[in-house]
Amino acid sequence: MGHVEVDRLTYVLPDGRLLLHDVSFRIGDGVKAGLVGPNGAGKTTLIRLITGDVRPADGRVVRSGGLGTMRQFIGNIRDDSTLRDLLLSVAPDRIRETTAALADAEAALAARDDEPAQLAYAQALSDYGDAGGYDLEVVWDTCTTVAMGLPYDAVRDRPVNTLSGGEQKRLVLEALLRGPDQVLLLDEPDNYLDVPGKEWLEEQLRATPKTVLIVSHDRRLLANAVDRIVTVESRGVWIHGGGFATYAKGRADRAERLEERRRRWDEEHVKLKRLVNTLRQTAANNDALSSSYRAARTRLSRFEEAGPPERPPKRQNIRIRLRGGRTGKRAVICENLELTGLMRPFDVEIRYGERVGVLGSNGSGKSHFLQLLAEIGQGHEVSVRHRGSAKLGARVTPGRFVQTHARPELHGRTPAELVMSGHALTLNEAMAALARYELAPAGGQRFETLSGGQQARLQILLLELSGATLLLLDEPTDNLDLASADALQQGLASYSGTVLAVTHDRWFADDFDRFLIFGADGTVYESDEPVWHEGRVDRPRDGFTLAVPDEAVSGLD
């Protein structure tokens, strides 16, 4: 049994800017709540305030039941971190403390095997057991067996960096869901998980009796797994008591109520000021009205001291204007194409105006396929090893969105510079374009200092300005907040061109016409419906070897 209560919390950034002000909410026992809000609104900071990693300027946090936390970036403990270190990083505080004390006692015993060292070691073992360390190791054994197919003792010393991002997430989630803490804070736990992994997480969240607060941009996961939505915006927090299915309407209704309250307050303010002015003028010539004037002035003063009601939050207004242009009827033609060691030869034809989703497990060659088409279309030297033929149709100009945002050519340059260069825009025109994507405040920052969501929006803006008639999108919604993802979908709906998109976003995939599936056995086939359960099996089949290069799966599940 556990809960979290945030009471009038205020947090000021190191540069003096107010990020959160007078925030109050409660997540009761067994509740599953999604934490959402625009990129940079303070979701991760709020998680860190609840955990105690940072201290508020004012307010307090009350919680019960033990707190388990999955950070946004797990596995970044030390370069030499082991799987045991990873599991310890999400263990209860008491177990981490007694583990450290036990390690010190072991080191002291190794240095001098005398009676005091032996007694200290025995006491450390006892403290570790009393804290639940041995019981938790049994839980960890179950976790590693389920997640990796091996017992804990066999993998405890394995380096964390030999696990993919998805494997790390799955293991930590197993440990938290099976562990003793009754309140879980999960910061983007679905990143790096494929769709079967996300479906597993949804099932676990629905089944666990624990209290959960989860930060996620995955709209389908939010719709399937949480029963209320906590929104961080305009330095405050509000809660939608229903699930994600009714969230958009609930948010719109709340904005209307706040607008109406503010309108009434403004009207009353005008009336009171007008009354005070009228009584001041008449009281100057009539002493009998002096008391009425003073009463009206007091009433106005108290009204203003109480202050106006909360303003409606500023609505995100991201306006994506992807235009494209007419091309030949056949936009992409692949004949007997094989990406060496990743797939069997396949044929595919994609026609102008189609929206094609590219699905399959990570490491199956999807990103390499988009890279090959981009390099061919842009006249670059082709670096993707392949056999067979891949061609683009007449007047097809590709533009590529890179999943990892690994764009070294953009580093060291600001959004304003990037938008101006190559597009013959003045500074004012560039800033106007950035404002449409809500990037104007970051116009002078270097690309590498932008948040993941800002980098994603900037990439989409650069695609818009490039005039690309074929969009090659590799996981474009991964780091976009809810409003930005919706804006992208609206922009693609009005785009006059062809779209190929690699995605694990089920909500996003609903908009596509058909799907190109990179299968588990190396075959590539077409489907009218999304296929999410194509697990990758890397072994020889019928004389065909799926040799997945390290760079194809590095950091991925």
Side-chain angles (χ1 to χ4, degrees):
M1 307 288 282
H3 84 290
V4 172
E5 184 172 355
V6 173
D7 182 28
R8 304 181 69 87
L9 213 60
T10 295
Y11 182 75
V12 179
L13 292 167
D15 63 6
R17 287 180 293 135
L18 183 64
L19 182 65
L20 300 170
H21 176 63
D22 205 25
V23 168
S24 297
F25 65 93
R26 187 178 192 277
I27 307 298
D29 178 52
V31 168
K32 312 300 183 294
L35 184 62
V36 304
N39 296 126
K43 300 184 295 294
T44 295
T45 298
L46 184 55
I47 292 288
R48 297 182 68 205
L49 286 163
I50 295 173
T51 60
D53 291 348
V54 295
R55 298 183 64 84
D58 196 12
R60 61 175 187 153
V61 175
V62 179
R63 60 178 189 258
S64 64
L67 188 67
T69 306
M70 171 181 271
R71 314 288 175 177
Q72 186 174 8
F73 302 104
I74 64 171
N76 296 334
I77 309 168
R78 299 186 313 272
D79 290 340
D80 60 345
S81 297
T82 64
L83 190 147
R84 178 174 180 267
D85 296 326
L86 179 63
L87 291 171
L88 269 174
S89 72
V90 295
D93 291 342
R94 180 61 179 152
I95 290 179
R96 290 203 300 272
E97 293 167 1
T98 54
T99 298
L102 180 57
D104 292 342
E106 287 175 341
L109 185 61
R112 51 182 181 82
D113 189 3
D114 55 16
E115 184 176 355
Q118 293 170 0
L119 291 174
Y121 179 62
Q123 184 61 52
L125 286 172
S126 176
D127 292 343
Y128 180 70
D130 291 343
Y134 296 115
D135 294 334
L136 193 57
E137 286 185 18
V138 174
V139 173
W140 290 347
D141 188 73
T142 302
C143 294
T144 59
T145 301
V146 170
M148 304 175 64
L150 293 169
Y152 172 65
D153 285 343
V155 298
R156 55 178 288 168
D157 296 321
R158 177 176 172 177
V160 169
N161 58 18
T162 64
L163 276 64
S164 71
E167 287 172 327
Q168 292 178 26
K169 293 265 186 176
R170 175 66 185 267
L171 185 59
V172 169
L173 284 168
E174 289 279 5
L176 289 171
L177 288 163
R178 296 173 186 273
D181 293 318
Q182 295 302 301
V183 177
L184 302 183
L185 305 181
L186 309 178
D187 196 351
E188 299 194 22
D190 50 297
N191 277 7
Y192 300 116
L193 295 182
D194 57 15
V195 170
K198 292 181 180 184
E199 291 174 345
W200 167 83
L201 177 57
E202 291 167 4
E203 293 173 2
Q204 297 301 312
L205 292 177
R206 288 194 297 267
T208 183
K210 299 185 179 190
T211 303
V212 180
L213 181 62
I214 175 173
V215 179
S216 178
H217 295 150
D218 189 302
R219 292 162 288 180
R220 187 70 67 196
L221 184 146
L222 291 170
N224 291 344
V226 306
D227 45 40
R228 66 196 60 188
I229 305 293
V230 180
T231 303
V232 184
E233 59 185 353
S234 300
R235 302 191 182 99
V237 162
W238 64 277
I239 295 182
H240 174 63
F244 188 73
T246 59
Y247 173 68
K249 185 178 185 305
R251 189 168 187 265
D253 290 345
R254 177 177 181 268
E256 288 180 8
R257 290 193 302 271
L258 292 175
E259 287 172 356
E260 178 63 15
R261 288 174 58 192
R262 183 70 187 213
R263 183 186 64 78
R264 291 182 179 179
W265 189 91
D266 288 339
E267 290 177 352
E268 182 66 16
H269 193 206
V270 169
K271 287 170 58 177
L272 285 174
K273 289 172 69 176
R274 186 181 297 125
L275 176 62
V276 168
N277 288 333
T278 300
L279 288 174
R280 183 177 66 243
Q281 293 170 5
T282 55
N285 301 317
N286 187 346
D287 291 341
L289 295 175
S290 296
S291 60
S292 297
Y293 166 61
R294 288 193 298 272
R297 191 173 60 184
T298 299
R299 182 181 173 189
L300 174 62
S301 177
R302 289 176 178 172
F303 184 83
E304 291 177 336
E305 285 176 3
E310 178 184 354
R311 284 187 180 276
K314 180 186 175 184
R315 293 178 180 175
Q316 287 180 267
N317 187 23
I318 298 169
R319 290 155 289 156
I320 295 176
R321 298 174 182 168
L322 294 165
R323 294 183 178 84
R326 185 73 199 187
T327 69
K329 290 183 179 180
R330 298 194 299 173
V332 178
I333 310 101
C334 298
E335 296 176 346
N336 207 35
L337 177 65
E338 174 192 341
L339 300 192
T340 308
L342 290 175
M343 66 189 69
R344 300 175 188 270
F346 69 97
D347 299 335
V348 69
E349 180 177 293
I350 298 169
R351 301 180 73 82
Y352 165 76
E354 283 192 306
R355 271 61 173 155
V356 179
V358 183
L359 310 181
S361 63
N362 288 320
S364 58
K366 304 184 304 298
S367 297
H368 284 63
F369 177 54
L370 295 195
Q371 181 182 344
L372 174 65
L373 297 180
E375 290 176 346
I376 289 172
Q378 293 166 352
H380 297 166
E381 181 180 349
V382 176
S383 62
V384 179
R385 292 185 299 143
H386 70 285
R387 290 193 289 265
S389 170
K391 296 184 293 185
L392 303 186
R395 299 183 300 281
V396 173
T397 303
R400 183 173 169 230
F401 179 102
V402 181
Q403 175 191 8
T404 59
H405 306 168
R407 300 286 298 273
E409 75 277 13
L410 305 184
H411 284 219
R413 306 173 70 187
T414 68
E417 292 169 348
L418 291 167
V419 170
M420 291 170 64
S421 64
H423 304 295
L425 298 182
T426 66
L427 178 59
N428 286 341
E429 290 170 336
M431 294 306 293
L434 290 169
R436 284 194 292 106
Y437 282 71
E438 297 197 347
L439 289 170
Q445 294 180 224
R446 294 191 308 277
F447 177 82
E448 62 271 23
T449 67
L450 302 177
S451 70
Q454 288 173 323
Q455 289 183 1
R457 277 181 275 146
L458 179 58
Q459 278 205 71
I460 297 167
L461 173 56
L462 294 176
L463 287 178
E464 173 189 307
L465 296 173
S466 74
T469 56
L470 169 64
L471 297 181
L472 305 171
L473 310 177
D474 197 351
E475 299 282 8
T477 62
D478 254 13
N479 288 290
L480 294 179
D481 57 43
L482 303 181
S484 300
D486 286 339
L488 174 59
Q489 288 184 249
Q490 293 169 17
L492 291 177
S494 60
Y495 173 65
S496 297
T498 308
V499 180
L500 268 75
V502 173
T503 187
H504 288 137
D505 185 336
R506 292 159 289 174
W507 198 288
F508 182 58
D510 286 344
D511 287 352
F512 286 79
D513 303 321
R514 61 190 177 103
F515 301 89
L516 194 61
I517 312 299
F518 283 56
D521 60 354
T523 60
V524 178
Y525 61 95
E526 297 184 39
S527 172
D528 292 333
E529 300 293 333
V531 178
W532 300 114
H533 291 264
E534 280 284 359
R536 190 66 170 162
V537 180
D538 304 317
R539 63 173 181 266
R541 296 187 176 189
D542 302 328
F544 179 81
T545 303
L546 296 178
V548 183
D550 292 340
E551 64 270 21
V553 295
S554 177
L556 298 175
D557 180 18

